[in-house]
């Protein structure tokens, strides 16, 4: 008997300030679609010390803002942020801090997840950012995926790309284009996430 097709999407959720993390998000989404699933690109709104003015419901540019329905409907999650002192940026952390209801109800439990990041320098905290982004996803009961060394680009890359997730070295001025190896690894992570979601759905 042929399994029922997955009707919901892989959520590719990110915060991006200069556009590099957004570019990685689009590459991961492409990998998801190469594996035959839909990718739903969403971003989190910025935060500021002054909060009297609410954010508009639609951002000026880029993907729409994430909603609770996106979390409930996704069959997997790729989450990305630029690095801030070796950790995720405040807007993404702020959003995660509001997901207590989803944690309590197990909305994300058992779903596959992956993380991605961009830094200005080679040793600017890529791996620590990826690992700290993984922690709240583990608390949500998600199944964390990385990039295996069976991907040749992981040992060939001279810039971004780690076994903990996809990454990019943007340069001190933010003018480094995403390298071919970084592109390959981001798409590979998207494909792996989609394939895991498909297998989990088939065995449910």
């Amino acid at each position: 008997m042929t399994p029922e097709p997955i009707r919901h999407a892989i959520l590719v959720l990110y915060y991006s300030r200069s556009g590099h993390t957004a570019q990685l998000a689009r590459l991961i989404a492409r990998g998801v679609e190469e594996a035959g699933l839909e990718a739903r690109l969403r971003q989190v709104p910025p935060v500021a010390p002054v909060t009297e003015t609410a954010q508009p419901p639609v951002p000026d540019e880029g993907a729409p803002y994430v909603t609770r329905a996106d979390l409930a409907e996704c069959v997997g999650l790729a989450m990305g942020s630029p690095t801030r002192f070796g950790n995720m940026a405040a807007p993404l952390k702020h959003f995660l801090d509001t997901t207590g209801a989803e944690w309590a109800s197990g909305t994300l439990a058992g779903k596959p997840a992956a993380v991605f990041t961009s830094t200005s320098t080679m040793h600017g905290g890529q791996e620590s950012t990826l690992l700290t982004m993984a922690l709240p996803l583990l608390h949500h009961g998600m199944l964390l995926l990385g990039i295996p060394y069976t991907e040749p680009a992981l040992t060939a890359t001279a810039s971004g790309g780690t076994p903990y997730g996809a990454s990019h070295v943007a340069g001190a001025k933010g003018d480094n284009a995403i390298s071919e190896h970084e592109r390959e690894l981001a798409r590979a992570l998207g494909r792996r996430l989609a394939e895991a979601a498909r297998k989990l759905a088939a065995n449910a």
Side-chain angles (χ1 to χ4, degrees):
M1 182 176 176
T2 304
E4 183 177 348
I6 298 176
R7 301 187 187 280
H8 298 308
I10 298 290
L11 176 59
V12 183
L13 176 63
Y14 66 92
Y15 172 71
S16 187
R17 184 70 180 271
S18 60
H20 297 282
T21 307
Q23 290 178 55
L24 278 179
R26 289 191 290 271
L27 287 164
I28 289 169
R30 186 183 304 173
V32 167
E33 291 168 352
E34 287 170 353
L37 291 189
E38 177 190 348
R40 183 180 297 180
L41 279 164
R42 294 291 186 268
Q43 62 178 314
V44 298
V47 295
V50 179
T51 57
E52 286 84 356
T53 303
Q55 289 295 328
V58 179
D60 294 333
E61 60 183 1
Y65 289 140
V66 66
T67 67
R68 294 286 182 264
D70 293 320
L71 295 176
E73 294 171 3
C74 75
V75 294
L77 170 66
M79 191 173 75
S81 170
T83 290
R84 296 292 183 267
F85 301 106
N87 208 328
M88 74 183 86
L92 185 59
K93 179 64 165 61
H94 175 75
F95 172 75
L96 289 170
D97 286 347
T98 69
T99 59
E102 285 73 21
W103 168 79
S105 62
T107 297
L108 296 173
K111 297 178 181 181
V115 289
F116 57 101
T117 191
S118 176
T119 60
S120 60
T121 61
M122 183 75 76
H123 303 291
Q126 286 195 355
E127 293 183 351
S128 63
T129 299
L130 294 169
L131 290 170
T132 52
M133 279 196 293
L135 294 178
L137 303 183
L138 289 170
H139 278 263
H140 273 282
M142 302 198 81
L143 309 174
L144 267 293
L145 300 174
I147 301 175
Y149 278 94
T150 50
E151 291 293 336
L154 195 57
T155 51
T157 182
S159 51
T162 83
Y164 309 109
S167 64
H168 167 56
V169 179
K173 296 182 180 179
D175 52 4
N176 288 352
I178 295 181
S179 73
E180 189 56 40
H181 288 141
E182 291 171 339
R183 296 173 67 87
E184 289 176 20
L185 292 169
R187 290 168 63 186
L189 186 61
R191 289 193 299 270
R192 192 160 194 249
L193 188 56
E195 289 161 3
R198 189 187 302 281
K199 289 176 182 177
L200 287 167
N203 293 325

